[in-house]
Amino acid sequence: MELLERERELAELEAALAAAAGGAGEVVFVHGEAGIGKTSVVRAFRRRLAGRARAFLGACDDLLSPRTLGPLRDAAPKGGPLATALAAGDRDAVYDAVLDLLGADASPAVLVVEDVHWADEPTLDVLRHVGRRIADLPAMLLLTYRDDELGPDHPLRPVLGALPASRRLPLTGLSRGAVATLAGGTTATSAALYRLTGGNPFFVTEAVAAGPDAVPATVVDAVLARARGLPPDAVAALEQLAVVPSGAGLPLARALLGDLSVLAPAERAGILEVHPGAVTFRHELARRAVEGSLPATRRMALHAAVLQALLTDDEPDLARVVHHAAGAGDDVALAEYAPPAARQAAAAGAHRQAAALYEQALRTALPDAERAALLEDLAWTHFHGNDRPGAVRAGTEAVALRERLGEPAALGQALSTLALQQWAALQIDDGLRSVERAVASLRPGGDSFALAFALTYRAVILVNLDREREGLEAADEALALGGRLGLAPLRPTGLIYRGRARWQLGDPGGREDVLAGIALAEELGRLDDVVMGHTNLASLFWRYARYAELEEVLEVNRRQIDVTEHTTHDRVVRSFGARLTALRGNWAEADAELRWGLDGVDGGGMVARQALPTLAQIAVRQGSAEAPELLETAWANAESARALPATVATAVAEAEQAWLTGRDSLADHARALLARTGGPGRERERGELLRWLHRLGDAVAPFPGCPDEYAAGLRGDWRAAAAAWEHIGAPYERALELTGSGEPGPTLEGLAVLDALGARPAAALVRARLRGMGVHRVPRGPQQATRENPAGLTDRQLEILRLVAAGRTNSEIAATLVLSVRTVDHHVSAVLQKLGVASRRDAAQALAALEVPD
């Protein structure tokens, strides 16, 4: 069929290629719904590349669990450095090899990866890594995806936000005229065809192929009608290939079918395409239509044939093996191949894929000891992948099996694993009971790995609960035991938490322990411990207002997520970055980032203790109707987490709300917490509490060690306090000190800052204060909104929703509002979440239903 109405997109691709040829590489996204013509556009562009560029082609598969780095395996030249790195499983070498491949020649390179909505996490990491460096390469990264499949928590979303996309090419349906052209005229049939297909090119071509006499009721009917017209042997071959997602390589196709000439009728009918390396359906929707029409018993037999063919390879693709073993109902094959496939995925940082593979293995009949071991691995995989309920379920089942087996050492280790998952899910008492039971049951057996493991994670939990002295004792004992037994793998975690405990107790030398733990983890190749160490550093640098060092950790974390996927740690670290963004007055960006961090299966869990207090504080400062609910939620989460920093941060936000609203009782939590913040390491928390209570009229004073910015304000030295906050880079806090001066000039200066920030409640108080000073010309400030934002949306989110409803892409919205694309991605995700919808189209309909006036 003719490629219609895609001239603009092809021109954009040509422009990107020209930029790449000039050494300024670009990332290009081609996206739209299934069947909209993404592959057709890419193929048309590829045909133009002959003699002009080097092309490397890969595609992601709709497998039960995607192939680890599958698209790169497709694209890698045989025998080259990339193929070697992939075979060796060397993650760093893969990143280097991809960059070298793209920059190895003066002629431009085009790396095409189709259907990245099905990509595994390591592939997404590589794309993010390459995309951030593409601007310095004579290369083009061309990615396609279905945007209607991207729910709020889809793993592609943060990648889209992180990649500096030069061009985003959304594909829309064909016009009525184009549909009529494909239908061969402008008859009533073509009008009916447009109504049926909505202009979707694949749907149109399938319906046209069904014949001119009638438009089929569904596209599936059209595909099946075309297939039924084939000879029986071609139909059988078509059915066999239909159970192989994303096509079969020629060796596999020959193993399944023998003589490939049997495919000729299907190829002539336009159902299949035979390429030099593979046989594929013309479109994935056609494959699904054929596969879906098969009886279950027939599908199972066809999967079994593929499985048998795959296992003749000396090194079969384990993800494909597991997919077809599951389809064939072959539990023996699943039990044998799913565990190594899962461990392979986990080692590559593909935690979602690893979890799916572990689940497949666990559906089979396994000995209890093997099942328990898999469940413990699954618990850690869920932990790193940000699925806390799943981690607790797996850990609980593992403990039950270990209890049945009656092996004390194995039970103790399972209990320790479960304990951390329970703590992360805010099941604090259960977590403490589990780890204390583990330690108590293992001590009688003497020195052992299991006891060292239990003591290490006892330290982790206790330090996170601000029980630093007990945590320090546990960490010291674990390190000593590990030293006696030569247990190097446990040492990084012990060092990191010993250091954190020391520093939280007021000993800055603890920083060296944390850094030593991270360095040892890097030396041992323990990536999980490396990212955990950076999470702890971010927490400590925030606690002690070491913002420059915090920014360094944020940059290290950004580079780290280029090469791996540790969702839980990433969201915690980025929440500290968002808090720093809020401190500097960029509230909209911070709000979007924090809401993204909370976007999980259980509303945030341990991540929420970092995010919720600042979200509540932003809402308080903006006068949002959401503020009371956020304050209540933040307090409940902090209390459940038993985390004093989160509790103090929430109490500070409550005290600020008390000051802004005149409801003094809202500061009761802040007053009660003073008794808990008198020890070393708590100086900033205590200073902040006192400063807000001072504004509320409480008789408080600075204390020895009180940070300068708080102490100056408590002494009434507004000039020194304002200067200190200006040095820190905190405009809101500086403005409050200026407006508390009692002098018209500084007060007016502070009011201007509050207006610029959108701090309406504080600005209203200051205007009243100025009138009380006798200032007659008080600036009116920004015009107040004449309506309430619907669905709890902020002004910025409503603005973005209107642009989404107008069909604007995220990059176009970013350009319009002068925001980063990542910030817009996060805002859009938050809008979808608040509206309770999964797609942009649904969001547009929701806006129309709200009947918001322009």
Side-chain angles (χ1 to χ4, degrees):
M1 288 290 181
E2 184 182 357
L3 184 64
L4 300 174
E5 298 184 337
R6 297 296 186 241
E7 295 82 4
R8 183 186 70 83
E9 289 78 9
L10 289 171
E12 289 276 2
L13 292 171
E14 285 286 352
L17 180 63
E26 296 190 5
V27 181
V28 182
F29 294 114
V30 178
H31 57 98
E33 66 182 5
I36 203 66
K38 300 180 292 295
T39 297
S40 296
V41 169
V42 170
R43 286 181 181 172
F45 177 61
R46 281 168 46 197
R47 286 193 292 270
R48 300 181 177 191
L49 295 179
R52 304 169 61 206
R54 296 169 296 126
F56 305 97
L57 314 174
C60 305
D61 307 315
D62 185 21
L63 295 172
L64 182 147
S65 177
R67 295 180 296 147
T68 302
L69 297 172
L72 297 178
R73 298 180 193 280
D74 296 340
K78 295 189 182 300
L82 178 54
T84 302
L86 288 165
D90 186 335
R91 186 181 61 249
D92 292 335
V94 169
Y95 301 122
D96 292 341
V98 174
L99 293 174
D100 289 344
L101 180 67
L102 297 180
D105 196 280
S107 63
V110 178
L111 174 57
V112 178
V113 181
E114 295 201 65
D115 296 323
V116 291
H117 53 278
W118 289 327
D120 60 296
E121 290 163 7
T123 293
L124 294 178
D125 294 335
V126 172
L127 297 179
R128 180 163 38 200
H129 184 79
V130 173
R132 284 177 169 160
R133 293 155 180 81
I134 199 79
D136 298 323
L137 294 172
M140 177 178 167
L141 186 57
L142 176 53
L143 309 176
T144 74
Y145 67 92
R146 297 182 188 174
D147 46 16
D148 56 342
E149 291 205 7
L150 301 191
D153 199 34
H154 194 287
L156 180 58
R157 278 198 177 278
V159 179
L160 296 177
L163 285 178
S166 303
R167 302 172 198 271
R168 295 182 184 242
L169 307 180
L171 300 185
T172 57
L174 301 176
S175 67
R176 292 175 182 270
V179 171
T181 298
L182 291 177
T186 57
T187 63
T189 299
S190 65
L193 186 61
Y194 185 84
R195 288 194 299 272
L196 167 71
T197 64
N200 182 292
F202 175 74
F203 296 171
V204 172
T205 56
E206 288 303 309
V208 168
D213 296 330
V215 175
T218 69
V219 173
V220 171
D221 292 335
V223 173
L224 296 180
R226 196 193 310 204
R228 291 189 192 103
L230 300 175
D233 57 347
V235 171
L238 198 66
E239 291 175 347
Q240 176 65 79
L241 295 176
V243 301
V244 185
S246 301
L250 290 186
L252 176 59
R254 289 192 178 100
L256 293 171
L257 305 176
D259 184 1
L260 295 186
S261 64
V262 72
L263 300 176
E267 189 178 8
R268 283 194 296 269
I271 302 175
L272 290 179
E273 295 180 343
V274 180
H275 306 287
V279 180
T280 64
F281 276 77
R282 191 172 65 83
H283 198 284
E284 177 67 10
L285 292 174
R287 184 195 70 79
R288 291 187 182 186
V290 174
E291 183 186 28
S293 71
L294 298 172
T297 52
R298 172 73 170 148
R299 278 200 306 272
M300 291 174 67
L302 296 172
H303 276 294
V306 179
L307 175 63
Q308 184 178 1
L310 290 172
L311 292 179
T312 61
D313 196 325
D314 291 337
E315 294 184 3
D317 187 315
L318 294 181
R320 286 194 181 276
V321 167
V322 172
H323 177 85
H324 292 291
D330 189 337
D331 284 358
V332 174
L334 278 177
E336 180 176 357
Y337 293 103
R343 294 187 182 105
Q344 184 184 78
H351 297 296
R352 292 173 186 263
Q353 285 73 44
L357 290 163
Y358 279 126
E359 294 284 4
Q360 286 297 318
L362 289 164
R363 291 192 179 99
T364 65
L366 295 169
D368 282 354
E370 188 174 346
R371 178 176 292 276
L374 289 177
L375 284 163
E376 290 173 52
D377 288 343
L378 176 60
W380 285 110
T381 294
H382 280 320
F383 172 80
H384 292 301
N386 207 40
D387 181 357
R388 284 166 289 278
V392 172
R393 285 194 301 271
T396 300
E397 190 175 345
V399 166
L401 288 172
R402 295 298 190 191
E403 286 176 324
R404 187 187 310 164
L405 292 167
E407 299 171 355
L411 173 60
Q413 192 165 330
L415 282 166
S416 304
T417 293
L418 173 60
L420 191 74
Q421 316 313 324
Q422 290 169 324
W423 163 77
L426 303 187
Q427 299 174 18
I428 306 300
D429 288 332
D430 291 339
L432 287 169
R433 280 192 291 268
S434 293
V435 78
E436 298 297 354
R437 179 186 169 195
V439 171
S441 66
L442 291 167
R443 282 199 189 281
D447 290 358
S448 66
F449 174 87
L451 178 57
F453 187 88
L455 287 167
T456 298
Y457 284 97
R458 182 172 184 266
V460 170
I461 293 171
L462 290 172
V463 173
N464 274 296
L465 294 176
D466 304 301
R467 292 165 59 175
E468 294 94 347
R469 297 193 186 281
E470 297 169 85
L472 182 58
E473 291 176 4
D476 283 338
E477 186 179 358
L479 288 166
L481 175 53
R484 293 195 297 272
L485 298 178
L487 302 177
L490 290 176
R491 188 167 178 79
T493 303
L495 284 170
I496 289 166
Y497 276 90
R498 181 172 71 180
R500 180 172 157 189
R502 288 176 59 195
W503 205 356
Q504 288 182 189
L505 288 169
D507 178 4
R511 177 178 184 272
E512 301 310 314
D513 272 345
V514 178
L515 294 175
I518 294 172
L520 180 58
E522 290 173 338
E523 179 184 332
L524 296 173
R526 295 186 62 82
L527 186 59
D528 294 349
D529 291 336
V530 172
V531 296
M532 178 263 293
H534 292 146
T535 303
N536 281 275
L537 273 182
S539 170
L540 290 162
F541 289 151
W542 174 261
R543 177 185 289 234
Y544 293 110
R546 299 175 71 150
Y547 300 130
E549 290 168 289
L550 174 58
E551 287 186 297
E552 292 176 6
V553 172
L554 294 171
E555 176 59 24
V556 170
N557 182 69
R558 186 192 67 76
R559 293 197 304 268
Q560 189 66 63
I561 64 169
D562 272 357
V563 298
T564 187
E565 187 76 16
H566 284 76
T567 308
T568 294
H569 289 297
D570 179 35
R571 293 191 181 206
V572 172
V573 171
R574 286 171 65 171
S575 72
F576 285 111
R579 295 175 77 175
L580 184 57
T581 299
L583 178 71
R584 291 174 173 168
N586 300 319
W587 293 342
E589 183 175 347
D591 183 278
E593 181 85 351
L594 291 166
R595 290 182 191 275
W596 172 83
L598 289 170
D599 187 14
V601 292
D602 64 345
M606 61 179 281
V607 181
R609 66 189 173 126
Q610 311 301 343
L612 280 171
T614 303
L615 265 180
Q617 184 183 64
I618 292 170
V620 166
R621 292 180 174 183
Q622 292 179 321
S624 168
E626 198 179 7
E629 180 183 355
L630 279 171
L631 285 169
E632 184 178 347
T633 303
W635 182 261
N637 178 272
E639 286 282 274
S640 296
R642 299 185 196 172
L644 186 57
T647 308
V648 170
T650 306
V652 164
E654 290 177 331
E656 184 170 357
Q657 182 80 327
W659 178 68
L660 291 169
T661 63
R663 296 173 57 197
D664 186 75
S665 62
L666 288 172
D668 288 347
H669 285 145
R671 296 183 177 101
L673 284 170
L674 284 177
R676 297 176 58 189
T677 57
R682 302 288 178 195
E683 293 84 2
R684 292 198 62 77
E685 293 167 342
R686 186 172 185 82
E688 192 170 19
L689 287 169
L690 289 172
R691 187 67 188 97
W692 280 106
L693 292 175
H694 181 264
R695 288 193 175 105
L696 286 164
D698 288 22
V700 294
F703 56 92
C706 183
D708 291 343
E709 60 272 22
Y710 297 122
L714 290 167
R715 292 193 306 268
D717 186 350
W718 62 268
R719 288 186 177 84
W725 285 116
E726 184 174 24
H727 178 73
I728 289 170
Y732 181 80
E733 284 73 11
R734 172 178 174 267
L736 292 187
E737 297 297 346
L738 291 172
T739 58
S741 65
E743 300 178 14
T747 302
L748 286 166
E749 182 183 353
L751 176 60
V753 174
L754 295 175
D755 282 338
L757 290 170
R760 289 190 292 269
L765 286 181
V766 172
R767 285 187 167 83
R769 187 177 297 167
L770 283 166
R771 295 185 190 99
M773 293 179 191
V775 177
H776 298 297
R777 294 192 174 185
V778 177
R780 292 183 60 187
Q783 185 177 354
Q784 295 293 315
T786 59
R787 46 96 184 109
E788 290 293 325
N789 284 343
L793 300 176
T794 65
D795 289 342
R796 175 67 85 186
Q797 289 167 349
L798 183 58
E799 184 177 23
I800 285 174
L801 173 57
R802 283 175 169 157
L803 291 170
V804 166
R808 305 288 288 277
T809 66
N810 285 9
S811 60
E812 290 169 340
I813 295 171
T816 300
L817 301 180
V818 196
L819 297 172
S820 71
V821 175
R822 188 180 78 169
T823 296
V824 173
D825 286 339
H826 293 174
H827 273 305
V828 171
S829 179
V831 167
L832 296 178
Q833 185 180 37
K834 283 186 175 183
L835 294 175
V837 299
S839 72
R840 300 167 81 92
R841 182 180 302 166
D842 291 342
Q845 293 172 350
L847 175 64
L850 291 169
E851 297 182 347
V852 180
D854 289 331

